[in-house]
C-alpha cells in the first residue's frame, strides 16, 4: 500500500510540473530584459524567437533605475539552451491588446560581430505602446476629423461659396475649350 501511495505522489508531482510547464531538469539559461512598462505581461508568458516558443518569463520585478531615478521593470526569462540570442536582437512585448495572450517576441537583426547572450546577461527591450495612449491619440484624430467635416459642411452650405465654385468650374471648362481650339488651329496652320 505504501508503494502505491509513493508512486501516486511522484506521478502527481510530475503531472503538476508538466501541466504548469515548470521543468526542473530543463537545460537553458536566464537573461534579464529591461522595460519602462510591460503592460499586462505576466509570469509564465511565452518567450518566442521569430514566432517559435523558446522559453518563458520566470519573474517580473520593479526597480528604481539609478541613472534616471525612475522605476523600471526587469523581466527575468528562461531560454532553452540550444537557442542563441545575440545582444542586438530586438525584444518586445506582443499580444497586449486583447487579441492574444501577451508574450515576449525576439526578432533577429544583423548578426555580424555581435556577442551571444549567456546566463545572467541583461538586454534592453522595446517598450510597448500603452493602449491608453493609443486611445488618447485616436480621440484626438477623431476630434480633428470632426472639425474638418464641420468645416466642409459649412463650406458646402454657403450659397455664395457654392456659386463661386460653380463659376470657377465653368471658367476652367471654357478655358479648356479655348486651349483646345488654339491647339487645333496650330496643328492645321
Amino acid at each position: 500500500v505504501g508503494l502505491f501511495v509513493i508512486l501516486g505522489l511522484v506521478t502527481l508531482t510530475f503531472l503538476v510540473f508538466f501541466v504548469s510547464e515548470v521543468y526542473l531538469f530543463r537545460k537553458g539559461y536566464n537573461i534579464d530584459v529591461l522595460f519602462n512598462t510591460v503592460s499586462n505581461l505576466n509570469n509564465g508568458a511565452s518567450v518566442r524567437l521569430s514566432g517559435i516558443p523558446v522559453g518563458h518569463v520566470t519573474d517580473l520585478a520593479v526597480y528604481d533605475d539609478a541613472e534616471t531615478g525612475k522605476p523600471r521593470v526587469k523581466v527575468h526569462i528562461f531560454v532553452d539552451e540550444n537557442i542563441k540570442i545575440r545582444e542586438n536582437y530586438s525584444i518586445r512585448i506582443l499580444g497586449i491588446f486583447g487579441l492574444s495572450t501577451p508574450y515576449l517576441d525576439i526578432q533577429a537583426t544583423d548578426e555580424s560581430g555581435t556577442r551571444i547572450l549567456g546566463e545572467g546577461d541583461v538586454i534592453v527591450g522595446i517598450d510597448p505602446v500603452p493602449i491608453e495612449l493609443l486611445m488618447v491619440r485616436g480621440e484626438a484624430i477623431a476630434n480633428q476629423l470632426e472639425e474638418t467635416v464641420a468645416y466642409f459642411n459649412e463650406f458646402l452650405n454657403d450659397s455664395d461659396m457654392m456659386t463661386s465654385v460653380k463659376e470657377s468650374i465653368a471658367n476652367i471648362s471654357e478655358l479648356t475649350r479655348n486651349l483646345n481650339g488654339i491647339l487645333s488651329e496650330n496643328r492645321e496652320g
Side-chain angles (χ1 to χ4, degrees):
V1 173
L3 181 64
F4 287 116
V5 170
I6 292 173
L7 284 176
L9 287 175
V10 168
T11 303
L12 181 62
T13 302
F14 279 110
L15 183 63
V16 167
F17 282 115
F18 180 75
V19 169
S20 65
E21 295 184 9
V22 174
Y23 304 103
L24 294 178
F25 307 110
R26 194 174 187 181
K27 293 182 180 180
Y29 58 100
N30 296 289
I31 62 174
D32 291 324
V33 186
L34 306 179
F35 293 97
N36 290 315
T37 181
V38 293
S39 197
N40 56 350
L41 185 72
N42 292 314
N43 280 344
S46 179
V47 174
R48 300 178 187 184
L49 176 63
S50 299
I52 306 297
V54 296
H56 61 276
V57 173
T58 59
D59 190 33
L60 299 162
V62 177
Y63 72 98
D64 288 324
D65 188 337
E67 291 179 24
T68 64
K70 295 180 180 179
R72 293 195 75 187
V73 180
K74 183 185 295 185
V75 178
H76 193 69
I77 65 172
F78 175 84
V79 180
D80 295 337
E81 73 174 337
N82 58 339
I83 303 300
K84 307 300 180 221
I85 299 173
R86 296 186 177 271
E87 64 185 352
N88 67 338
Y89 283 12
S90 66
I91 301 179
R92 66 182 71 229
I93 301 168
L94 297 181
I96 59 174
F97 300 117
L99 300 177
S100 66
T101 303
Y103 63 93
L104 275 184
D105 182 63
I106 303 170
Q107 290 293 321
T109 56
D110 180 20
E111 295 184 21
S112 60
T114 59
R115 184 175 67 83
I116 295 175
L117 298 177
E119 180 68 35
D121 281 335
V122 178
I123 188 170
V124 177
I126 300 169
D127 290 323
V129 177
I131 194 163
E132 294 80 12
L133 180 60
L134 292 177
M135 293 174 67
V136 168
R137 287 182 182 168
E139 184 178 5
I141 291 170
N143 289 339
Q144 288 177 343
L145 184 59
E146 189 176 304
E147 289 174 13
T148 303
V149 168
Y151 174 76
F152 278 118
N153 282 336
E154 185 179 311
F155 175 79
L156 293 174
N157 291 330
D158 184 352
S159 61
D160 291 338
M161 188 63 71
M162 288 306 295
T163 302
S164 295
V165 169
K166 287 178 185 178
E167 289 174 359
S168 296
I169 292 172
N171 289 338
I172 291 171
S173 180
E174 185 179 336
L175 177 64
T176 304
R177 271 193 305 274
N178 291 339
L179 288 174
N180 284 337
I182 292 169
L183 288 173
S184 293
E185 289 176 9
N186 282 343
R187 285 187 202 142
E188 292 173 2

